[in-house]
Amino acid sequence: MAGWWRELLRTVRRYPWPTNVLLYAALFSAGDALQQRLRGGAADWRQRRHVATVAVAFHANFNYVWLRLLERALPGRAPRAVLAKVLCDQAFGGPVYVSAFYFEWSDVLAFCTADQLQPRSCSLENSLHWALWFSVGHFPLLFTTGW
């Protein structure tokens, strides 16, 4: 048993990027499966594939590069360095993470005219606004939806 574990750890250390991508896909898919199970409905494999695709195509790769960049730009484990990393991640990385979930709705937003982008007329931009607003700890990165 110890032989295969050692080999697995060696492979993980040798190929960190693919390991990160596979781990993200597994965690995102497991989280989606758990959410579907807790809701009590039937398993939606299409949604699960979509979640895994977003994790593999975007989140895993972005996180790998982004966190390595943060570690190189702000090295160290001191409280000040960790706080700076967290603030940078929340201020810049958070909105990018959340926007990946809305990428398939971008055509809907692109075809909306300026007069349709009112708080009461179209709920999509409101949900995007509030998702970004709460995801970064009330850091106002977007304009209000009542233009």
Side-chain angles (χ1 to χ4, degrees):
M1 182 169 159
W4 69 268
W5 183 254
R6 235 176 301 187
E7 185 64 29
L8 179 67
L9 289 178
R10 189 177 69 82
T11 304
V12 166
R13 287 186 189 112
R14 187 172 181 185
Y15 303 106
W17 197 331
T19 302
N20 190 35
V21 170
L22 291 174
L23 183 62
Y24 265 90
L27 289 174
F28 271 56
S29 297
D32 184 59
L34 181 63
Q35 179 185 20
Q36 289 178 16
R37 185 162 175 91
L38 290 175
R39 286 186 177 170
D44 185 1
W45 290 97
R46 182 173 180 232
Q47 178 183 342
R48 201 166 303 162
R49 279 193 312 271
H50 182 264
V51 168
T53 302
V54 170
V56 168
F58 176 74
H59 281 287
N61 296 302
F62 180 77
N63 275 336
Y64 185 81
V65 173
W66 173 245
L67 294 177
R68 280 184 57 151
L69 177 77
L70 278 179
E71 189 58 41
R72 288 182 180 168
L74 304 166
R77 294 183 181 176
R80 181 176 286 183
V82 171
L83 181 63
K85 290 177 199 176
V86 169
L87 290 176
C88 285
D89 186 47
Q90 291 298 303
F92 302 112
V96 175
Y97 300 143
V98 173
S99 67
F101 287 108
Y102 291 95
F103 78 95
E104 72 180 35
W105 288 355
S106 62
D107 57 342
V108 175
L109 287 176
F111 291 118
C112 285
T113 59
D115 61 326
Q116 289 176 324
L117 294 176
Q118 298 297 326
R120 62 195 168 281
S121 66
C122 189
S123 64
L124 177 62
E125 70 273 0
N126 289 334
S127 65
L128 176 62
H129 168 74
W130 288 112
L132 288 174
W133 183 267
F134 285 114
S135 70
V136 295
H138 305 286
F139 192 74
L141 294 176
L142 296 177
F143 296 110
T144 60
T145 55
W147 295 342

